[in-house]
């Protein structure tokens, strides 16, 4: 594929214009149709993607790796404990070497205060595009898939209300990256976003500020509330999911205590009934069933979580084909 996007890093969707992202969505739709029709799409024949995972993954690893296979290329799974990163090799040396071998480097690094900085250091020293598979600040590939799913279901997105709500999931402290990328990108594509969280679960101030600026430029709404139900009332789409109180405290024990303070922040059919008749339930997965959401909702008629997970494959194939 020859576009101006060849060689571009994808660390945050905020760095790409709406037109550039539209190019990606258009190619993602074509690649999805081609796969359905059984047509091969060897756009990355002979090319290699290095995938460095500092954190666990089901969807991201398998959709990137499968995507590279379907594009005729090859993906290599790497983890720091099996690399010289474990002996202290720095981002500069890792980037310089890998980028002389292959055509792309994808990284998941969610440690708070470290992940995004690591990606940027690799990008600054890489000859090939660096793709963000989730960091402490952004999860742009997830939000590309979310947007593709919403547009497929409604055919348009301007004027839709999206509720993004914090939920109580006490088994571990999750990153801020999903809600942050959601509030940054969705208002740029015409959605009105209501973000609901208990006060201790605020997002990074600069991200909330950027989301407000994005909404203002796009003529859409962005509001923050501390009432769970506000995200659901009259909503077209809801994405209720957990994140840690990382801006308030990085102490794990205190973080888990704060998560336990709000057990009522759980999505059930009563909350779903507050939305429009056609309301969609979305979640990036993995979901903490029974704590974040009831089985009745996530397995129910409004849930599109598997379509959403599938679209990770299609948007990431488009991303790789355009940049690598
Ligand atoms: N949604 C998501 O990123 O899933 P994984 O953590 O399984 O990759």
């Amino acid at each position: 594929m020859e576009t101006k996007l060849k060689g571009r890093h994808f660390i945050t969707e905020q760095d790409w214009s709406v037109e550039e992202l539209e190019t990606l969505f258009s190619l993602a739709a074509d690649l999805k149709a081609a796969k359905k029709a059984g047509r091969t799409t060897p756009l990355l024949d002979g090319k290699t993607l290095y995938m460095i995972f500092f954190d666990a993954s089901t969807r991201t690893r398998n959709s990137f790796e499968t995507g590279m296979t379907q594009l005729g290329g090859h993906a290599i799974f790497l983890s720091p404990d099996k690399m010289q990163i474990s002996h202290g090799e720095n981002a500069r040396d890792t980037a310089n070497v890998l980028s002389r071998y292959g055509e792309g480097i994808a990284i998941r690094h969610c440690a708070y205060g470290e992940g995004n900085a690591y990606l940027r250091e690799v990008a600054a020293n890489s000859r090939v595009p660096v793709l963000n598979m989730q960091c402490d600040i952004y999860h742009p590939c997830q939000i590309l898939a979310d947007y593709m799913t919403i547009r497929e279901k409604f055919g348009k997105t301007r004027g839709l209300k999206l509720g993004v709500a914090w939920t109580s999931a006490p088994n571990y402290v999750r990153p801020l990256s999903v809600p942050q990328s959601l509030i940054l990108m969705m208002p740029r594509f015409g959605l009105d976003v209501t973000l609901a969280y208990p006060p201790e679960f605020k997002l990074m101030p600069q991200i909330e500020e950027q989301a407000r600026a994005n909404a203002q430029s796009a003529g859409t709404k962005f509001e923050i509330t501390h009432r769970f139900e506000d995200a659901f009332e009259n909503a077209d789409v809801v994405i209720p999911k957990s994140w840690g109180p990382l801006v308030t405290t990085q102490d794990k024990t205190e973080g888990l205590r704060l998560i336990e303070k709000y057990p009522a922040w759980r999505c059930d059919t009563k909350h779903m009934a507050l939305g429009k008749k056609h309301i969609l339930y979305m979640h990036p997965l993995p979901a903490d069933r029974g704590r974040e959401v009831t089985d009745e909702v996530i397995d129910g008629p409004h849930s599109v979580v598997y379509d959403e997970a599938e679209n990770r494959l299609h948007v990431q194939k488009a991303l790789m084909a355009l940049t690598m």
Side-chain angles (χ1 to χ4, degrees), residues 56-60 108 139 142 284-286 312:
S57 167
T58 294
R59 280 141 290 272
T60 305
R108 167 169 282 193
H139 195 353
Q142 180 64 52
L285 304 178
R312 292 290 303 275

Side-chain angles (χ1 to χ4, degrees), residues 164-166 194-198 223 225-228 230-231 243 265:
V164 178
W166 178 85
T194 298
L195 173 67
Y197 56 68
E223 61 169 4
T225 166
H226 298 313
R227 194 174 156 263
F228 191 53
D230 288 343
W243 62 86
W265 287 61

Side-chain angles (χ1 to χ4, degrees), residues 7 11 14-15 33 37 57 106 119 143 198 218 220 228 236 264 283 298 311:
I11 293 180
Q14 186 70 26
D15 291 341
S57 167
L119 263 79
I143 280 48
T220 53
F228 191 53
D236 298 280
H283 191 294
I298 196 168
N311 281 336

Side-chain angles (χ1 to χ4, degrees), residues 43-205:
L43 300 173
L44 295 179
D45 188 25
K47 296 194 175 180
T48 301
L49 174 74
Y50 301 103
M51 306 185 301
I52 308 175
F53 279 92
F54 286 75
D55 302 280
S57 167
T58 294
R59 280 141 290 272
T60 305
R61 176 188 173 175
N62 289 293
S63 51
F64 264 102
E65 193 162 336
T66 305
M68 273 306 282
T69 303
Q70 292 176 4
L71 293 169
H74 180 57
I76 296 179
F77 173 79
L78 299 165
S79 60
D81 61 310
K82 300 283 189 299
M83 299 172 73
Q84 297 297 4
I85 294 172
S86 62
H87 293 143
E89 185 159 46
N90 67 16
R92 179 192 171 93
D93 293 346
T94 305
N96 269 290
V97 173
L98 292 183
S99 69
R100 287 181 183 226
Y101 297 155
E103 286 73 30
I105 302 173
I107 303 170
R108 167 169 282 193
H109 192 338
C110 298
Y112 192 69
E114 294 175 27
N116 188 262
Y118 184 86
L119 263 79
R120 293 205 181 270
E121 184 67 13
V122 173
N125 290 284
S126 172
R127 299 175 172 193
V128 300
V130 171
L131 311 178
N132 186 348
M133 298 195 294
Q134 187 176 21
C135 69
D136 51 330
I137 305 180
Y138 310 106
H139 195 353
C141 293
Q142 180 64 52
I143 280 48
L144 295 179
D146 291 357
Y147 179 73
M148 183 177 183
T149 307
I150 295 169
R151 197 149 85 180
E152 283 175 343
K153 301 297 176 190
F154 290 100
K156 57 139 201 162
T157 50
R158 181 152 287 274
L160 295 179
K161 174 179 169 177
L162 167 66
V164 178
W166 178 85
T167 54
S168 181
N171 53 355
Y172 69 100
V173 175
R174 292 158 174 80
L176 308 175
S177 48
V178 168
Q180 294 198 153
S181 280
L182 278 170
I183 65 168
L184 285 175
M185 197 184 108
M186 294 303 186
R188 297 172 70 202
F189 283 81
L191 289 108
D192 296 325
V193 176
T194 298
L195 173 67
Y197 56 68
E200 299 93 332
F201 291 84
K202 56 183 166 285
L203 300 180
M204 292 173 173

Side-chain angles (χ1 to χ4, degrees), residues 249-262:
T249 177
Q250 282 143 57
D251 181 85
K252 215 170 160 185
T253 310
E254 174 64 359
L256 293 172
R257 189 191 69 75
L258 289 171
I259 292 170
E260 289 283 19
K261 195 174 153 188
Y262 300 99

